[in-house]
Amino acid sequence: MKKGLIALCLVLAVALAWSQSNTLNKQKTTIAKDTLKKTKPAATDVIVEDSIPVKPLQLKPFKKSVIASYYADKFNGRRTTSGKKFSNSGYTAAHKKLPFGTKVKVTNEANGRSVIVEITDRGPFVRSKEIDLTKRAFMDLADNKRSGMLRVKIEIIEN
């Protein structure tokens, strides 16, 4: 009776070990398949490098050492002369003579900072000032955030 019981335990131990090894092998193959799927690039994933040629800006000097100011907050939401809705958080400007849609680069002569703005309005209607910028564009240029005017250089961007 002892020999039969020992033989039965031995058979159960072998069966248990065999079933666990099969389970481990299945888990290893599943993990291997998952990692292969993650690391292997699909046929539709094509890596394309940037092929668009970037041309440097073609700038035409317009005016040097002129005064720029910025719009008051009371103009937010109003229509500009070109018909667009004005927002002080954008990059637009007002000029007396430049055509609407003209993009200009405005550079602070004191620190060299510059912004690119689009002409969407007429003004400023003060003889000493050449261009009115949005508050955001002006603050990007200014060192002293409390000043109301800057001496700038204006260049027209040609396409």
Side-chain angles (χ1 to χ4, degrees):
M1 171 103 176
K2 259 186 171 179
K3 286 185 181 181
L5 192 57
I6 293 174
L8 181 62
C9 286
L10 187 62
V11 169
L12 286 174
V14 169
L16 182 63
W18 182 72
S19 69
Q20 286 182 353
S21 68
N22 280 344
T23 305
L24 286 174
N25 286 339
K26 286 180 184 177
Q27 288 175 351
K28 286 180 183 176
T29 56
T30 304
I31 290 170
K33 286 180 184 176
D34 287 344
T35 56
L36 284 176
K37 286 179 185 175
K38 290 178 183 174
T39 58
K40 189 176 180 182
T44 58
D45 295 342
V46 179
I47 299 170
V48 179
E49 292 184 13
D50 190 10
S51 61
I52 299 172
V54 178
K55 292 186 273 184
L57 291 177
Q58 294 179 351
L59 302 172
K60 178 182 168 187
F62 183 67
K63 294 222 176 172
K64 282 186 177 182
S65 194
V66 294
I67 302 294
S69 58
Y70 65 92
Y71 281 93
D73 288 328
K74 70 178 184 179
F75 294 109
N76 261 337
R78 293 187 185 178
R79 295 272 174 210
T80 61
T81 309
S82 66
K84 293 185 179 180
K85 192 174 182 181
F86 176 74
S87 171
N88 241 341
S89 62
Y91 287 95
T92 60
H95 193 270
K96 297 172 190 166
K97 296 179 183 175
L98 288 174
F100 296 134
T102 303
K103 294 196 181 215
V104 295
K105 180 180 178 184
V106 181
T107 306
N108 184 344
E109 292 183 340
N111 61 16
R113 291 184 194 157
S114 62
V115 292
I116 295 175
V117 294
E118 181 180 355
I119 305 297
T120 59
D121 204 1
R122 289 289 171 234
F125 300 109
V126 178
R127 209 167 223 217
S128 61
K129 297 177 187 172
E130 184 70 26
I131 191 167
D132 262 342
L133 302 169
T134 58
K135 197 169 194 176
R136 181 175 184 182
F138 187 88
M139 294 304 166
D140 285 353
L141 292 176
D143 280 333
N144 182 2
K145 305 299 183 195
R146 294 182 179 193
S147 67
M149 294 184 287
L150 290 175
R151 192 159 295 279
V152 297
K153 173 175 71 171
I154 301 173
E155 298 169 293
I156 298 173
I157 298 174
E158 298 176 333
N159 291 340

